[in-house]
Amino acid sequence: MSKSTVDPTVLDIELPAVPFPSVRASAPMPPARPENWTRSLFHVLSALVALVMLRVVPSRGWLIAASVSLCVWAWSCEIARRLSPAVNERMMKFFSRVAHPMERHRVNSSTWYLTALVGLSLFAPFQAAELGVVILGLADPAAGFIGRRIGRTKILANRSLEGTLGFFAVGTLAALATLTAFHGLPLPAMLLIASAGAAAGAIAELVSSRLDDNFTIPVTVAIASSIAGAFVPAS
């Protein structure tokens, strides 16, 4: 007897679907909030104004007086916002281009920044204070920009490894430029101070959850750069 052959193409057999392991495509992390270019520019300009103030004030006493005056004004606005919903609405509308919606019912970042400036004016060496404001003003917006565009490796909350490394790189370059322009230290000393300040700022930005990073970053940078500067031989 001859074997019958069956053409497999004529069989109407539905094969069961075989599940494949799901593979999550490598894609940027969703941003915690949309990009705000006006706020980023305000961040940079605030750093430049603070840097100019640090460079031109005739003495520490003048710096303390200016910083405290600005801080008192900021906290007075915060109190007024709490006491009067109408004042709060007007101020949020006026600063709508730079304020986050969540700041409607919490202390805004600018107030924390001015509070940090008081601490820097009271205790930090001028060089360390300059690095604190410059690294905050340039590296913090850069970290957000990089994290939103290419951030893929989540570390804490909505922070990414790529954004943190971007903070460190931009912060180091900004600190190096500031040290080169105003202090003229040997290159190894500037690299040590700049990288220490940028690394400390990146860590502060990464772990700041209870306290606003506009306060923690400049204070942490100033402390770290002061410690690093202690290891630089006096010229």
CSV table of all heavy atoms in Angstrom, one decimal, residues 20-30 151-155 157-158:
chain,number,residue,atom,x,y,z
A,20,PHE,N,5.2,35.3,24.3
A,20,PHE,CA,6.6,35.6,24.4
A,20,PHE,C,6.8,36.5,25.6
A,20,PHE,O,5.9,37.3,26.0
A,20,PHE,CB,7.1,36.4,23.1
A,20,PHE,CG,7.2,35.5,21.9
A,20,PHE,CD1,6.1,35.3,21.1
A,20,PHE,CD2,8.3,34.8,21.7
A,20,PHE,CE1,6.2,34.5,19.9
A,20,PHE,CE2,8.4,34.0,20.5
A,20,PHE,CZ,7.3,33.8,19.7
A,21,PRO,N,7.9,36.4,26.2
A,21,PRO,CA,8.2,37.3,27.4
A,21,PRO,C,8.1,38.7,26.9
A,21,PRO,O,8.6,39.1,25.9
A,21,PRO,CB,9.6,36.9,27.8
A,21,PRO,CG,9.8,35.5,27.2
A,21,PRO,CD,9.0,35.5,26.0
A,22,SER,N,7.4,39.5,27.7
A,22,SER,CA,7.3,40.9,27.4
A,22,SER,C,8.6,41.6,27.6
A,22,SER,O,9.3,41.4,28.5
A,22,SER,CB,6.2,41.6,28.3
A,22,SER,OG,6.6,41.5,29.6
A,23,VAL,N,9.0,42.4,26.6
A,23,VAL,CA,10.2,43.2,26.7
A,23,VAL,C,9.9,44.7,26.7
A,23,VAL,O,9.2,45.2,25.8
A,23,VAL,CB,11.1,42.9,25.4
A,23,VAL,CG1,12.4,43.7,25.5
A,23,VAL,CG2,11.4,41.4,25.4
A,24,ARG,N,10.3,45.3,27.7
A,24,ARG,CA,10.0,46.8,27.8
A,24,ARG,C,11.0,47.5,27.0
A,24,ARG,O,12.2,47.4,27.2
A,24,ARG,CB,10.1,47.2,29.3
A,24,ARG,CG,9.8,48.7,29.4
A,24,ARG,CD,9.7,49.1,30.9
A,24,ARG,NE,8.6,48.5,31.5
A,24,ARG,CZ,8.3,48.6,32.8
A,24,ARG,NH1,9.1,49.3,33.6
A,24,ARG,NH2,7.3,48.0,33.3
A,25,ALA,N,10.6,48.3,26.0
A,25,ALA,CA,11.5,49.0,25.2
A,25,ALA,C,12.2,50.1,26.0
A,25,ALA,O,11.6,50.7,26.9
A,25,ALA,CB,10.7,49.7,24.1
A,26,SER,N,13.4,50.3,25.6
A,26,SER,CA,14.2,51.3,26.3
A,26,SER,C,13.7,52.7,25.8
A,26,SER,O,13.9,53.0,24.7
A,26,SER,CB,15.7,51.1,26.0
A,26,SER,OG,16.4,52.1,26.6
A,27,ALA,N,13.1,53.4,26.7
A,27,ALA,CA,12.6,54.7,26.3
A,27,ALA,C,12.8,55.7,27.5
A,27,ALA,O,13.0,55.3,28.6
A,27,ALA,CB,11.1,54.6,26.1
A,28,PRO,N,12.8,56.9,27.2
A,28,PRO,CA,13.1,57.9,28.2
A,28,PRO,C,12.0,57.8,29.3
A,28,PRO,O,10.8,57.6,29.0
A,28,PRO,CB,13.0,59.3,27.5
A,28,PRO,CG,13.3,58.9,26.1
A,28,PRO,CD,12.8,57.6,25.8
A,29,MET,N,12.4,58.1,30.5
A,29,MET,CA,11.4,58.1,31.6
A,29,MET,C,10.4,59.3,31.4
A,29,MET,O,10.8,60.3,30.9
A,29,MET,CB,12.1,58.4,32.9
A,29,MET,CG,13.0,57.2,33.4
A,29,MET,SD,14.1,57.8,34.7
A,29,MET,CE,13.0,58.7,35.8
A,30,PRO,N,9.2,59.1,31.7
A,30,PRO,CA,8.2,60.2,31.6
A,30,PRO,C,8.6,61.3,32.5
A,30,PRO,O,8.9,61.1,33.7
A,30,PRO,CB,6.9,59.6,32.0
A,30,PRO,CG,7.2,58.4,32.8
A,30,PRO,CD,8.5,57.9,32.2
A,151,GLY,N,16.8,60.5,29.8
A,151,GLY,CA,16.8,59.7,31.0
A,151,GLY,C,16.1,58.4,30.9
A,151,GLY,O,15.0,58.3,30.7
A,152,ARG,N,16.9,57.3,31.1
A,152,ARG,CA,16.3,55.9,31.0
A,152,ARG,C,16.5,55.1,32.3
A,152,ARG,O,15.8,54.2,32.5
A,152,ARG,CB,17.0,55.2,29.8
A,152,ARG,CG,16.5,55.7,28.5
A,152,ARG,CD,17.3,55.1,27.3
A,152,ARG,NE,16.7,55.4,26.0
A,152,ARG,CZ,17.0,56.5,25.4
A,152,ARG,NH1,17.8,57.5,25.9
A,152,ARG,NH2,16.4,56.8,24.2
A,153,THR,N,17.6,55.5,33.0
A,153,THR,CA,17.9,54.7,34.2
A,153,THR,C,17.4,55.4,35.5
A,153,THR,O,18.0,56.3,35.9
A,153,THR,CB,19.4,54.5,34.3
A,153,THR,OG1,19.9,54.0,33.0
A,153,THR,CG2,19.8,53.4,35.4
A,154,LYS,N,16.3,54.9,36.0
A,154,LYS,CA,15.7,55.5,37.1
A,154,LYS,C,16.5,55.2,38.4
A,154,LYS,O,16.9,54.1,38.6
A,154,LYS,CB,14.3,55.0,37.3
A,154,LYS,CG,13.5,55.7,38.4
A,154,LYS,CD,12.1,55.2,38.5
A,154,LYS,CE,11.3,55.8,39.6
A,154,LYS,NZ,9.9,55.3,39.6
A,155,ILE,N,16.7,56.3,39.2
A,155,ILE,CA,17.5,56.1,40.5
A,155,ILE,C,16.5,56.3,41.6
A,155,ILE,O,16.2,55.4,42.4
A,155,ILE,CB,18.6,57.1,40.6
A,155,ILE,CG1,19.6,57.0,39.4
A,155,ILE,CG2,19.4,56.9,41.8
A,155,ILE,CD1,20.7,57.9,39.4
A,157,ALA,N,12.8,58.5,42.9
A,157,ALA,CA,11.7,59.3,42.5
A,157,ALA,C,11.7,59.4,40.9
A,157,ALA,O,11.7,58.4,40.2
A,157,ALA,CB,11.7,60.6,43.2
A,158,ASN,N,11.7,60.6,40.4
A,158,ASN,CA,11.8,60.8,39.0
A,158,ASN,C,13.1,61.2,38.5
A,158,ASN,O,13.3,61.7,37.4
A,158,ASN,CB,10.7,61.9,38.6
A,158,ASN,CG,9.3,61.4,38.7
A,158,ASN,OD1,9.0,60.4,38.0
A,158,ASN,ND2,8.5,62.0,39.5
